[in-house]
């Protein structure tokens, strides 16, 4: 039996690389090569591979127990995780619903919002509003609120219709381009919308699009004014990626439902959380069984994942973590400023620890560009996955400014040396 890889066309894909060990910001391959992990292993790894504190916490918990039925039992790692989150989240967010990954954290939030409105006298509110170029996961509800396209077209018959808003593309675009269509949709559908979902500050898979803080704040405030629940999908943006522990800290607006995963455990074990306000929780609190949230899975509240998340959050109390975020942010800006003048760059930008460059490519160049850049960067010791013509670097926080500069130097050299459109092979 052979492995079927995620997001991979096995008919033309390059062979998988075997990892023998991972330490810090690097992957050591079985063939002896050492590779800089330029995307934190799909945006997961925060402090670095092999973080001793997290590994020790998991090992200690594993000697006690790993899993119980969370519907009937609780345990210290789960309670301690809630206590750690109380230290860093607004007091209005009072309840944690445990799941297993980012897609299900979003799926739970959507089901909560929908059922909350049905059970609190807002039965007319049956629509979800989301934005163009959004990506919220691969389960059916999460796909429904994501941008329709290659990710979703094969499953169109399984997805529900939503209210979708147009948005700006560049942070330099006027504020109106980010909020005008939202305002129009509110005028038409505002009374029917139960929740607005947004990736605050940085849309990931849609092209690493950086949102103006004022636009996210405007959307959040208007939704709340209309009694519409606000869902922030911080599966990717949470745990330091945008420069603060959570992106919403920079916006000045607290969501009603907050979706967390990826960096929640430092990238060590799978886990998802949907953290909600007491108002949302009270919409389900009743004696009638049919008013409960009908969601769960066998590994809910896994004790090993909880222990990893607790250890991760304790690391955030150390001031040097936030210092390193600032160092990475400055290194990204400096590296992007040093991009060779001859490159066909449409826009360069950064958001916290993420550096991003959009390249101007001929219309049929995208797929070939992604494969060739991946291969040539790997030969140069840097692992990245492009988003079409968008190249980004999102390293673990243990990466040094020098390593970031070197990684971008490899990326720029690879793109400079690509064959022309007419000579590529």
């Amino acid at each position: 039996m052979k492995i079927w890889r995620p997001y991979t066309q096995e008919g033309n894909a390059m062979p998988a690389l075997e990892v023998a060990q991972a330490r810090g910001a690097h992957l050591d391959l079985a063939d002896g090569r050492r590779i800089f992990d330029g995307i934190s292993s799909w945006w997961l790894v925060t402090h670095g591979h092999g973080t001793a504190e997290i590994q020790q916490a998991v090992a200690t918990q594993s000697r006690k127990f790993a899993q119980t039925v969370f519907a009937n039992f609780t345990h210290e790692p789960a309670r301690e995780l809630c206590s750690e989150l109380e230290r860093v989240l607004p007091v209005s967010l009072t309840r944690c619903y445990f799941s297993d990954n980012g897609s299900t954290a979003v799926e739970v939030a959507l089901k909560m919002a929908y059922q909350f409105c049905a059970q609190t006298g807002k039965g007319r509110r049956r629509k979800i509003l989301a934005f163009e170029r959004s990506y919220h996961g691969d389960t059916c509800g999460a796909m429904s609120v994501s941008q329709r396209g290659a990710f979703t077209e094969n499953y169109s018959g399984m997805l529900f219709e939503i209210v979708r808003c147009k948005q700006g593309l560049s942070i330099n675009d006027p504020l109106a381009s980010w909020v005008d269509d939202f305002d129009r949709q509110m005028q038409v559908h505002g009374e029917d919308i139960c929740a607005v979902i947004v990736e605050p500050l940085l849309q990931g898979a849609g092209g690493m699009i950086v949102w103006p803080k004022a636009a996210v704040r405007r959307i959040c405030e208007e939704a709340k004014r209309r009694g519409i629940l606000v869902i922030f999908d911080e599966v990717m943006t949470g745990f330091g990626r945008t420069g603060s522990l959570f992106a919403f800290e920079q916006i000045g607006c607290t969501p009603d439902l907050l979706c967390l995963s990826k960096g929640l455990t430092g990238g060590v074990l799978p886990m998802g959380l949907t953290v909600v306000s007491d108002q949302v929780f009270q919409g389900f609190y009743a004696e009638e069984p049919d008013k409960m949230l009908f969601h769960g899975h066998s590994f809910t509240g896994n004790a090993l994942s909880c222990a990893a998340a607790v250890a991760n959050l304790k690391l955030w109390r150390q001031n040097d973590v936030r210092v390193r975020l600032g160092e990475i942010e400055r290194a990204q800006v400096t590296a992007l400023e040093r991009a060779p003048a001859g490159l066909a760059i449409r826009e360069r930008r950064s958001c916290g620890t993420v550096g991003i460059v959009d390249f101007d490519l001929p219309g049929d160049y995208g797929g070939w560009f992604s494969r060739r850049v991946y291969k040539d960067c790997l030969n140069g010791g840097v692992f990245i996955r492009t988003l079409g013509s968008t190249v980004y670097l999102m390293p673990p926080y243990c990466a040094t400014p020098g390593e970031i500069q070197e990684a971008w130097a490899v990326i720029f050299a690879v793109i400079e040396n690509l064959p022309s459109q007419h000579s590529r092979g």
Side-chain angles (χ1 to χ4, degrees):
M1 185 175 292
K2 296 183 179 180
I3 295 169
W4 188 350
R5 290 177 284 171
Y7 278 110
T8 301
Q9 176 47 267
E10 298 285 7
N12 64 10
M14 286 178 278
L17 304 169
E18 185 166 342
V19 177
Q21 180 173 278
R23 289 288 181 270
H26 291 84
L27 306 171
D28 295 328
L29 304 186
D31 62 12
R33 285 182 291 171
R34 195 160 193 256
I35 306 296
F36 182 74
D37 188 355
I39 62 167
S40 297
S41 290
W42 246 342
W43 319 343
L44 291 170
V45 178
T46 52
H47 308 291
H49 294 279
T51 302
E53 294 88 344
I54 299 178
Q55 290 186 327
Q56 183 58 53
V58 173
T60 299
Q61 180 58 40
S62 70
R63 290 190 287 271
K64 300 175 183 178
F65 66 92
Q67 179 63 33
T68 61
V69 180
F70 210 54
N72 299 89
F73 300 95
T74 188
H75 47 70
E76 182 182 359
R79 291 196 305 272
E80 192 174 2
L81 175 53
C82 290
S83 295
E84 288 293 330
L85 287 168
E86 278 185 338
R87 292 171 175 263
V88 295
L89 290 176
V91 294
S92 61
L93 296 175
T94 62
R95 290 279 174 165
C96 288
Y97 200 95
F98 291 70
S99 60
D100 61 331
N101 61 53
S103 295
T104 50
V106 169
E107 199 84 9
V108 166
L110 296 173
K111 290 174 71 173
M112 283 179 172
Y114 197 82
Q115 189 174 342
F116 171 83
C117 287
Q119 294 181 176
T120 56
K122 300 179 180 179
R124 175 180 173 180
R125 295 185 179 273
R126 312 304 280 165
K127 295 180 180 178
I128 306 288
L129 183 144
F131 292 86
E132 287 185 338
R133 298 175 179 83
S134 58
Y135 172 77
H136 296 289
D138 296 334
T139 51
C140 287
M143 282 194 294
S144 295
V145 293
S146 299
Q147 174 68 42
R148 302 296 170 90
F151 284 7
T152 63
E153 63 185 357
N154 288 324
Y155 318 105
S156 58
M158 302 170 66
L159 309 182
F160 59 79
E161 290 302 316
I162 67 164
V163 178
R164 191 174 307 281
C165 283
K166 297 177 182 178
Q167 63 179 70
L169 281 177
S170 169
I171 197 168
N172 298 316
D173 290 343
L175 185 63
S177 70
W178 296 89
V179 300
D180 275 6
D181 193 52
F182 171 79
D183 288 340
R184 283 191 290 270
Q185 299 294 351
M186 284 291 107
Q187 291 298 321
V188 176
H189 301 287
E191 297 300 317
D192 302 319
I193 293 172
C194 69
V196 171
I197 184 168
V198 63
E199 299 166 87
L201 291 191
L202 185 63
Q203 282 183 314
M208 293 295 165
I209 298 169
V210 180
W211 277 64
K213 296 174 186 177
V216 184
R217 185 164 52 248
R218 169 79 174 74
I219 289 164
C220 183
E221 290 174 347
E222 178 61 16
K224 285 178 174 285
R225 187 184 72 81
R226 290 175 172 268
I228 297 169
L229 295 173
V230 174
I231 304 170
F232 278 177
D233 177 357
E234 293 230 30
V235 169
M236 185 270 282
T237 59
F239 301 98
R241 294 300 179 194
T242 66
S244 52
L245 184 56
F246 302 106
F248 72 79
E249 295 174 15
Q250 302 179 49
I251 297 167
C253 187
T254 301
D256 301 292
L257 304 98
L258 176 66
C259 303
L260 303 174
S261 189
K262 291 192 183 291
L264 173 61
T265 66
V268 173
L269 286 170
M271 185 172 220
L273 286 180
T274 307
V275 190
V276 306
S277 67
D278 191 62
Q279 175 197 13
V280 172
F281 173 74
Q282 290 300 326
F284 295 82
Y285 189 79
E287 293 186 0
E288 299 92 333
D290 61 347
K291 290 191 175 180
M292 75 173 78
L293 178 67
F294 286 91
H295 192 96
H297 65 99
S298 302
F299 280 95
T300 296
N302 178 261
L304 301 182
S305 296
C306 289
V310 169
N312 170 50
L313 282 163
K314 286 181 177 178
L315 286 172
W316 276 94
R317 293 193 219 155
Q318 300 176 8
N319 290 332
D320 63 334
V321 177
R322 297 180 187 272
V323 169
R324 288 200 300 274
L325 296 186
E327 291 174 347
I328 291 172
E329 184 169 359
R330 290 188 291 274
Q332 294 277 26
V333 171
T334 299
L336 296 184
E337 289 174 346
R338 293 176 179 173
L343 293 178
I345 292 176
R346 184 170 68 251
E347 182 177 281
R348 69 193 88 185
R349 58 193 178 277
S350 62
C351 182
T353 66
V354 188
I356 309 140
V357 180
D358 296 327
F359 290 92
D360 274 320
L361 301 177
D364 66 339
Y365 214 64
W368 178 88
F369 176 86
S370 296
R371 291 190 296 272
R372 184 62 182 266
V373 170
Y374 162 77
K375 179 181 178 181
D376 290 355
C377 284
L378 200 64
N379 290 336
V382 177
F383 168 60
I384 61 171
R385 290 175 64 102
T386 71
L387 297 166
S389 60
T390 298
V391 178
Y392 68 95
L393 200 63
M394 186 191 296
Y397 305 148
C398 61
T400 67
E403 289 171 331
I404 291 167
Q405 299 279 352
E406 290 170 10
W408 274 114
V410 168
I411 293 167
F412 290 142
V414 163
I415 294 171
E416 270 191 306
N417 292 316
L418 289 178
S420 68
Q421 179 187 11
H422 300 293
S423 63
R424 68 185 188 267

